[in-house]
């Protein structure tokens, strides 16, 4: 199909999204509605199908599996002599919520996500990007097939944006780093990861975790994995601690 034929019956918004998909992934969507859905957060659900609100959550669920499988296959072939533990850790680093959020910012997803910016009910854009990324992988899988989606993930994401050698050297176990930081004090600080809330959304559990240091609340995070929620909250807390000069000096002086 020619480009003119592909765009003939599309609205200006659909054309803009199709061109954007082409610019970052190298192909034009066949079913543009899938990609529009991938960029629609639940806060913008306006249409109901029975009891189902139309948003990107189902695509996110599917894309999570597609992304994980594609990355696992790529790592298995790239590192034929490495252990299962190494492969699992590398996959976790690539598909972590923190990594996907940062990648979505590089790709300027914020220009296309439909969501309600109500901080009392919904997260900021920074926490939406990773979910949209997974939803896009689900959209590509449905629009084409798994082999095509895997090709995009490997050739347009991993090879263009991820330095595997650098990733191997990156310390991303933020939870361990916080615990190590707490041990540096003469009077050791008590770090607690509290599960504030656990709820099930569309048969998928979501965990809200907050870090408390000596019973003082620090950063919190929400994720579909309690481990990822803890890691995300730990990373935010470490950033807070790094910027707190008095705490840094205190830890150095009380070893």
């Amino acid at each position: 199909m020619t480009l003119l034929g592909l765009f003939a019956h599309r609205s200006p918004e659909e054309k803009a999204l199709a061109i954007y998909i082409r610019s970052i992934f190298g192909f034009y969507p066949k079913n543009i509605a899938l990609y529009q859905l991938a960029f629609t957060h639940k806060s913008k659900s306006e249409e109901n199908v029975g009891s189902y609100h139309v948003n990107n959550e189902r695509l996110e669920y599917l894309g999570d599996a597609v992304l994980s499988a594609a990355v696992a296959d790529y790592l298995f072939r790239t590192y034929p002599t490495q252990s299962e533990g190494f492969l699992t850790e590398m996959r976790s680093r690539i598909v972590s919520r923190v990594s996907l959020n940062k990648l979505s910012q590089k790709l300027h997803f914020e220009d296309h996500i439909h969501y309600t910016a109500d901080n009392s009910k919904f997260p900021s854009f920074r926490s939406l990007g990773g979910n949209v990324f997974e939803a896009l992988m689900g959209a590509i899988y449905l629009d084409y097939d798994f082999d095509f989606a895997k090709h995009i993930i490997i050739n347009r994401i991993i090879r263009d944006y991820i330095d595997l050698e650098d990733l191997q050297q990156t310390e991303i176990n933020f939870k361990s780093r916080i615990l190590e930081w707490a041990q540096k004090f003469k009077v050791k600080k008590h770090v607690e990861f509290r599960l504030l809330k656990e709820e099930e959304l569309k048969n998928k559990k979501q965990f809200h975790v907050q870090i408390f240091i000596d019973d003082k609340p620090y950063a919190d995070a929400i994720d579909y994995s309690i481990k990822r929620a803890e890691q995300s909250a730990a990373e935010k807390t470490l950033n807070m601690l790094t910027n707190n000069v008095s705490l840094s000096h205190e830890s150095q002086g009380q070893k």
Side-chain angles (χ1 to χ4, degrees):
M1 181 181 291
T2 65
L3 184 60
L4 181 62
L6 186 67
F7 286 172
H9 302 293
R10 290 184 175 176
S11 68
E13 182 180 354
E14 290 174 333
K15 292 177 183 178
L17 181 57
I19 291 172
Y20 171 68
I21 295 297
R22 173 67 174 79
S23 72
I24 60 173
F25 293 129
F27 71 93
Y28 286 109
K30 294 185 294 184
N31 184 354
I32 192 64
L34 287 170
Y35 302 84
Q36 290 178 309
L37 185 60
F39 278 103
T40 302
H41 183 252
K42 65 180 180 180
S43 62
K44 294 294 287 186
S45 296
E46 298 177 354
E47 183 180 349
N48 293 322
V49 179
S51 60
Y52 167 58
H53 295 271
V54 179
N55 57 57
N56 66 5
E57 287 187 332
R58 282 170 53 84
L59 280 178
E60 179 192 340
Y61 158 78
L62 181 61
D64 179 35
V66 171
L67 181 62
S68 182
V71 171
D73 181 82
Y74 174 74
L75 293 174
F76 184 85
R77 298 174 189 278
T78 303
Y79 299 102
T81 62
Q82 290 288 0
S83 68
E84 176 191 0
F86 171 88
L87 298 176
T88 299
E89 177 65 18
M90 286 292 287
R91 181 180 61 183
S92 296
R93 295 184 180 200
I94 292 172
V95 304
S96 73
R97 183 65 54 211
V98 172
S99 295
L100 296 184
N101 285 340
K102 289 179 179 178
L103 181 57
S104 71
Q105 291 175 355
K106 289 181 181 178
L107 298 176
H108 303 292
F109 279 13
E110 68 272 19
D111 296 333
H112 301 274
I113 296 179
H114 299 286
Y115 75 106
T116 299
D118 182 350
N119 291 331
S120 66
K121 294 182 179 179
F122 301 106
S124 65
F125 162 73
R126 182 173 295 182
S127 62
L128 299 180
N131 298 341
V132 171
F133 188 91
E134 289 179 340
L136 276 174
M137 298 305 103
I140 294 171
Y141 166 76
L142 291 176
D143 197 25
Y144 287 86
D145 56 32
F146 176 74
D147 286 340
F148 185 85
K150 184 173 72 171
H151 171 81
I152 295 299
I153 291 166
I154 293 172
N155 294 288
R156 304 294 297 204
I157 300 300
I158 295 178
R159 289 178 177 164
D160 284 355
Y161 293 98
I162 298 174
D163 186 331
L164 293 178
E165 290 187 9
D166 184 62
L167 197 62
Q168 290 182 56
Q169 306 302 320
T170 301
E171 172 58 66
I172 65 163
N173 194 338
F174 300 109
K175 184 175 179 179
S176 292
R177 287 179 61 187
I178 281 217
L179 296 175
E180 290 170 4
W181 170 85
Q183 297 297 312
K184 293 179 180 180
F185 292 83
K186 188 173 183 179
V187 178
K188 296 180 176 59
K189 292 187 173 291
H190 176 67
V191 179
E192 181 183 0
F193 290 76
R194 293 184 189 174
L195 179 60
L196 301 182
K197 188 176 181 181
E198 178 181 336
E199 61 181 342
E200 191 162 323
L201 301 174
K202 303 291 188 301
N203 298 319
K204 193 174 183 182
K205 285 187 177 181
Q206 192 174 63
F207 304 92
H208 186 184
V209 172
Q210 185 167 21
I211 293 178
F212 287 76
I213 301 177
D214 291 339
D215 285 328
K216 179 182 176 181
Y218 280 77
D220 68 319
I222 300 174
D223 206 299
Y224 290 106
S225 160
I226 191 168
K227 182 178 179 180
R228 289 201 301 259
E230 289 177 343
Q231 288 287 348
S232 183
E235 181 183 19
K236 294 176 186 176
T237 299
L238 280 170
N239 289 333
M240 295 168 64
L241 295 173
T242 300
N243 294 326
N244 189 324
V245 178
S246 63
L247 269 177
S248 298
H249 287 173
E250 183 184 355
S251 67
Q252 292 172 5
Q254 294 193 27
K255 288 181 181 178

